[in-house]
Amino acid sequence: MIECSVCHSTLELETVGGKTVSRAYDRHRHQVSSKTRFLNVALVVGDCILVGLQPILVYTTKVDGGFKFSPVSVNFLTEAVKVFLAIVMLLLQARHKKVGEKSLLSFSTIAQAARNNVLLAVPAFLYAINNYLKFIMQLYFNPATVKMLSNLKVFVIALLLKIIMKRRFSIIQWEALALLLIGISVNQLRSLPEGTSALGLPVATGAYLYTLIFVTVPSLASVFNEYALKSQYDTSIYHQNLFLYGYGAIFNFLGIVITAMFKGPSSFDILQGHSKATMLLICNNAAQGILSSFFFKYADTILKKYSSTVATIFTGLASAALFGHTLTMNFILGISIVFISMHQFFSPLSKVKDEPKNISLESVDSPKNKR
Amino acid sequence: MIECSVCHSTLELETVGGKTVSRAYDRHRHQVSSKTRFLNVALVVGDCILVGLQPILVYTTKVDGGFKFSPVSVNFLTEAVKVFLAIVMLLLQARHKKVGEKSLLSFSTIAQAARNNVLLAVPAFLYAINNYLKFIMQLYFNPATVKMLSNLKVFVIALLLKIIMKRRFSIIQWEALALLLIGISVNQLRSLPEGTSALGLPVATGAYLYTLIFVTVPSLASVFNEYALKSQYDTSIYHQNLFLYGYGAIFNFLGIVITAMFKGPSSFDILQGHSKATMLLICNNAAQGILSSFFFKYADTILKKYSSTVATIFTGLASAALFGHTLTMNFILGISIVFISMHQFFSPLSKVKDEPKNISLESVDSPKNKR
């Protein structure tokens, strides 16, 4: 038990210390500076551009309504590009080494970092499964239905953050997440195909399990990724990226091997059916992946989610401005809800009540705080 | 300037004392008991029943899509029924007089109350105008459009409460009101007729002024009514009802006289075109009016607004259950937004920050608090 020097109220140390993911991350978390805010804005803007390009690129890669190339090959190539980008970024970063710092390229540093970050194999495995699922869903389900189902991820992510990252959300924040879900749905209502049922989801009974997997796997991957990156906060993100995408490449290569076992050796021809368009899509995917790592390490999965939604909104506004579409009432009401939700989620008013106490008590390296 | 005995922070008395409508009302306001909560629930339930019956009764009174009777006559009859009900309630209440209390029926008490409550003539006048406008709007505008326009009242009421009643709303509360507006609109989107413009309102340029009046007059009437009732908080509500509806009857009688001057003496035949159905509608209107007074005096205009919305939701649910309608996605999303809005508006989390300080400082009859 310790006493606050200002309000003289006693607090159990267990509850304060029990909620930490890593000490280095906690230190970072309480140094909210203008630098962090700038980083967040930069992440959101970058994400908006990449996510905004995605539907255009996917559209250009479709031939006769389907894909000519194997989805597994796209995933493997994406991981390969990510590993390549991660190596380039690591090399660039290593040149900016300050005097007295250990080189990022020394074998001992890399070996130590690799040992500490084996946990990254878990999200890499989940992502490999999810990438495959994503293509399957787009081929066999209606795109509008896929979109509607994807909205449910917001809630699953929040639930997983609560369980895995010990994050606490206030009631207002839970409501903000519900509003995000509702806002996106209102926006999508008009695009739903005719003849869908009252609840808008024409899913067969068997498809419910499929939906559950489709929603849970990527959410679990993101939250586990956030956990793995933050729990080894002292490891350079450039090392972490290298390991994450290295594991990713291995798992996707295994995917190709398994496909080859079932469909014959032609699956090894990973460049089959690819064009310039698919290469652009792959580079965009890779860049989004790299950006996600920064989101998960320095911000969080929820900000990533809001960022994607804002990207969709800007795409809508841009297409309205460029092609002279009129904005539907659904779009206007939907984005109003999303922006209110966003303000409520990040507003200091809605933060969990005892958060400020934590900050004032967890002074860095105070001997009292050690567990 | 006074100092808080707990946190030792100084507060300007002007800002605390400046926000009062009447001292008696302030005393009541800070005695939030389970009794008040029970009263609020009873008000909402009663309102739900009466408002829920309204569209059914209006439907039954229509003959060939219009009304056979003069709208002014309905309003006058409604005011007459209200005066009658107010007198009955006053007589019933007077029988429960405690020993030592002045009788509610003594001439001096009534005369004094009448002098203090002349302000009630203002809302009575505004209501008389509004009742007439309401019928006009229903006859010449599309009902769906009228509904959509009515939603804007929420904001106008909040703005007027801020100006007239010095109410303060937190950002979360303003957002909750915006969500209420959006939620109702999402629910109504499907019922909009085909061919309405992107913003859903097929209004001619000249109709904007009409709309402004249609939205402002009833809002002003409600807020002014709340002000008038609360500023004379010590006067019995049974007296206040009597005066309010007395003025109402006078203004509506003047309306009949004016109509008679333009359309000839047949307008004096106030029972012309009436049926059992219209009589039921009139009684419902009168009961709603009496209930409103209790809302405005003991709760507020915003609670009245939420109450009407909840009534609409229950009507929708009831008609779905009774007539086997499927609930549309719009309805489900709309009511989700409304319920989140309601929770956020009344949640203690979203209250304006210095409200608790006010309560602790404004101890009843403290000489320091006198202005």
Side-chain angles (χ1 to χ4, degrees):
Chain A
M1 301 281 278
I2 47 168
E3 201 184 79
C4 167
S5 62
V6 181
C7 67
H8 300 292
S9 54
T10 51
L11 277 114
E12 281 179 52
L13 207 63
E14 208 55 41
T15 50
V16 177
K19 301 221 173 295
T20 110
V21 170
S22 85
R23 304 210 61 227
Y25 165 57
D26 277 359
R27 222 164 21 238
H28 153 80
R29 200 156 60 115
H30 298 321
Q31 288 163 354
V32 178
S33 60
S34 57
K35 199 182 149 196
T36 327
R37 201 163 293 161
F38 173 77
L39 182 72
N40 282 356
V41 172
L43 285 174
V44 171
V45 171
D47 195 49
C48 280
I49 295 167
L50 296 175
V51 172
L53 284 172
Q54 180 85 357
I56 303 166
L57 294 174
V58 168
Y59 180 79
T60 56
T61 55
K62 270 193 182 173
V63 181
D64 305 328
F67 301 101
K68 288 284 176 203
F69 48 87
S70 151
V72 184
S73 78
V74 169
N75 296 335
F76 176 72
L77 287 171
T78 305
E79 293 308 307
V81 174
K82 278 182 193 166
V83 173
F84 175 73
L85 285 176
I87 291 172
V88 170
M89 287 170 82
L90 182 60
L91 291 174
L92 285 174
Q93 197 60 25
R95 288 169 59 188
H96 293 291
K97 182 174 85 97
K98 284 179 199 143
V99 184
E101 270 184 355
K102 262 192 169 178
S103 168
L104 287 172
L105 299 175
S106 86
F107 180 76
S108 68
T109 321
I110 295 179
Q112 163 110 47
R115 262 198 309 279
N116 288 341
N117 287 274
V118 268
L119 211 60
L120 285 170
V122 179
F125 178 68
L126 291 170
Y127 278 127
I129 293 176
N130 179 52
N131 283 338
Y132 194 64
L133 281 176
K134 231 158 65 180
F135 271 95
I136 301 277
M137 288 291 281
Q138 279 181 345
L139 284 177
Y140 298 106
F141 277 67
N142 182 301
T145 316
V146 173
K147 267 191 181 175
M148 277 280 185
L149 291 174
S150 302
N151 300 345
L152 295 171
K153 277 187 211 166
V154 182
F155 261 121
V156 179
I157 285 172
L159 217 64
L160 291 172
L161 279 176
K162 193 177 153 71
I163 298 166
I164 297 174
M165 294 291 292
K166 316 281 183 209
R167 277 276 298 267
R168 290 170 66 197
F169 301 105
S170 67
I171 301 173
I172 300 277
Q173 284 181 315
W174 281 112
E175 288 176 344
L177 292 175
L179 287 174
L180 177 62
L181 175 65
I182 294 168
I184 303 171
S185 305
V186 167
N187 185 19
Q188 288 167 356
L189 267 189
R190 277 276 161 101
S191 62
L192 264 190
E194 290 295 314
T196 48
S197 76
L199 275 163
L201 303 175
V203 272
T205 333
Y208 279 118
L209 185 73
Y210 214 62
T211 306
L212 189 73
I213 295 170
F214 174 69
V215 168
T216 313
V217 171
S219 307
L220 207 55
S222 299
V223 175
F224 231 98
N225 199 1
E226 185 176 334
Y227 180 78
L229 290 168
K230 278 179 176 161
S231 68
Q232 294 298 320
Y233 199 82
D234 281 331
T235 307
S236 161
I237 184 141
Y238 304 102
H239 282 155
Q240 289 180 321
N241 271 343
L242 189 64
F243 307 140
L244 180 65
Y245 303 128
Y247 289 124
I250 293 168
F251 288 124
N252 281 290
F253 182 72
L254 286 177
I256 293 180
V257 172
I258 292 167
T259 314
M261 277 168 22
F262 285 95
K263 292 190 178 170
S266 73
S267 302
F268 272 113
D269 187 7
I270 53 171
L271 290 173
Q272 189 206 357
H274 280 285
S275 60
K276 271 185 194 160
T278 60
M279 286 303 153
L280 277 175
L281 180 64
I282 285 163
C283 287
N284 184 289
N285 277 345
Q288 276 187 52
I290 300 273
L291 204 66
S292 306
S293 294
F294 283 87
F295 260 105
F296 296 142
K297 182 148 183 175
Y298 298 112
D300 60 32
T301 316
I302 302 271
L303 185 69
K304 176 83 182 70
K305 207 74 211 141
Y306 272 104
S307 168
S308 310
T309 311
V310 171
T312 319
I313 290 170
F314 281 126
T315 314
L317 287 174
S319 84
L322 290 174
F323 308 114
H325 297 160
T326 48
L327 296 173
T328 63
M329 194 70 182
N330 284 67
F331 185 77
I332 293 163
L333 292 175
I335 68 171
S336 307
I337 300 169
V338 168
F339 282 123
I340 290 174
S341 151
M342 206 161 160
H343 176 260
Q344 289 187 343
F345 191 86
F346 295 106
S347 160
L349 286 169
S350 64
K351 288 278 185 301
V352 175
K353 275 288 144 66
D354 63 26
E355 204 79 291
K357 278 184 193 163
N358 273 2
I359 295 173
S360 67
L361 287 168
E362 283 181 51
S363 55
V364 180
D365 287 331
S366 144
K368 269 189 179 175
N369 262 342
K370 268 195 185 128
R371 306 179 62 208
Chain B
M1 302 280 279
I2 45 165
E3 201 185 80
C4 167
S5 62
V6 180
C7 67
H8 299 293
S9 54
T10 51
L11 278 114
E12 281 180 51
L13 205 64
E14 206 55 39
T15 51
V16 177
K19 302 221 172 297
T20 115
V21 170
S22 84
R23 305 210 61 228
Y25 166 56
D26 278 358
R27 225 169 12 242
H28 153 81
R29 199 156 62 115
H30 300 318
Q31 288 164 353
V32 178
S33 62
S34 57
K35 196 181 152 198
T36 327
R37 201 162 293 160
F38 173 77
L39 182 71
N40 282 356
V41 172
L43 285 174
V44 172
V45 171
D47 194 49
C48 280
I49 295 167
L50 296 176
V51 172
L53 285 172
Q54 179 86 357
I56 303 165
L57 294 175
V58 168
Y59 180 80
T60 55
T61 54
K62 269 193 184 173
V63 181
D64 305 329
F67 302 100
K68 290 281 177 204
F69 49 87
S70 151
V72 184
S73 77
V74 170
N75 296 335
F76 176 73
L77 287 171
T78 304
E79 294 307 307
V81 174
K82 279 182 195 168
V83 172
F84 175 74
L85 285 176
I87 290 170
V88 170
M89 287 171 81
L90 182 61
L91 291 174
L92 285 174
Q93 196 62 25
R95 288 169 57 190
H96 294 290
K97 183 175 85 96
K98 285 178 197 142
V99 182
E101 269 185 353
K102 261 193 168 176
S103 167
L104 288 171
L105 299 176
S106 85
F107 180 78
S108 68
T109 321
I110 295 178
Q112 163 110 44
R115 261 197 308 279
N116 288 341
N117 288 273
V118 267
L119 212 59
L120 285 169
V122 180
F125 179 68
L126 291 170
Y127 278 128
I129 293 176
N130 178 52
N131 283 339
Y132 194 64
L133 280 176
K134 231 158 66 180
F135 271 95
I136 301 276
M137 287 293 280
Q138 280 182 346
L139 284 177
Y140 299 105
F141 277 67
N142 182 300
T145 317
V146 173
K147 267 192 182 176
M148 277 278 184
L149 290 175
S150 302
N151 300 345
L152 294 171
K153 277 187 211 166
V154 182
F155 261 119
V156 179
I157 285 172
L159 217 64
L160 291 172
L161 280 176
K162 193 178 153 70
I163 297 166
I164 298 173
M165 293 292 290
K166 316 282 181 206
R167 277 276 297 268
R168 291 170 66 196
F169 302 106
S170 68
I171 301 173
I172 300 278
Q173 285 181 314
W174 280 111
E175 287 176 345
L177 293 175
L179 286 174
L180 178 62
L181 176 66
I182 294 169
I184 303 170
S185 305
V186 166
N187 185 19
Q188 289 168 355
L189 267 189
R190 276 279 161 100
S191 61
L192 264 191
E194 291 294 316
T196 48
S197 77
L199 274 163
L201 304 175
V203 270
T205 334
Y208 280 117
L209 185 73
Y210 213 62
T211 305
L212 189 75
I213 294 169
F214 173 68
V215 169
T216 313
V217 170
S219 307
L220 207 56
S222 298
V223 175
F224 231 98
N225 198 0
E226 185 177 334
Y227 180 79
L229 289 168
K230 278 178 178 163
S231 68
Q232 294 299 321
Y233 200 83
D234 281 332
T235 307
S236 162
I237 184 139
Y238 304 102
H239 282 156
Q240 289 180 321
N241 271 343
L242 188 63
F243 306 138
L244 180 64
Y245 304 127
Y247 288 125
I250 294 168
F251 288 124
N252 282 291
F253 181 72
L254 286 177
I256 293 179
V257 172
I258 292 167
T259 314
M261 273 163 28
F262 285 95
K263 291 189 179 173
S266 72
S267 303
F268 271 114
D269 187 8
I270 54 170
L271 290 173
Q272 187 207 359
H274 282 283
S275 59
K276 271 185 194 161
T278 59
M279 285 303 153
L280 278 174
L281 181 64
I282 285 164
C283 287
N284 184 290
N285 278 345
Q288 277 187 52
I290 300 272
L291 206 64
S292 306
S293 295
F294 285 87
F295 261 104
F296 296 141
K297 181 148 185 175
Y298 299 112
D300 60 32
T301 316
I302 301 271
L303 186 69
K304 177 82 182 69
K305 207 76 210 138
Y306 273 105
S307 169
S308 310
T309 311
V310 170
T312 319
I313 290 171
F314 281 127
T315 314
L317 287 174
S319 83
L322 290 174
F323 308 114
H325 296 163
T326 49
L327 295 173
T328 63
M329 193 71 184
N330 284 66
F331 184 77
I332 293 164
L333 292 175
I335 68 171
S336 306
I337 300 169
V338 167
F339 281 124
I340 290 175
S341 151
M342 205 163 161
H343 176 259
Q344 289 187 345
F345 191 87
F346 295 106
S347 161
L349 286 168
S350 64
K351 288 279 186 301
V352 175
K353 274 288 141 67
D354 63 26
E355 204 78 295
K357 278 183 193 162
N358 272 5
I359 294 172
S360 68
L361 287 168
E362 284 182 50
S363 57
V364 181
D365 287 330
S366 145
K368 271 189 179 174
N369 262 343
K370 265 187 188 138
R371 305 179 64 209

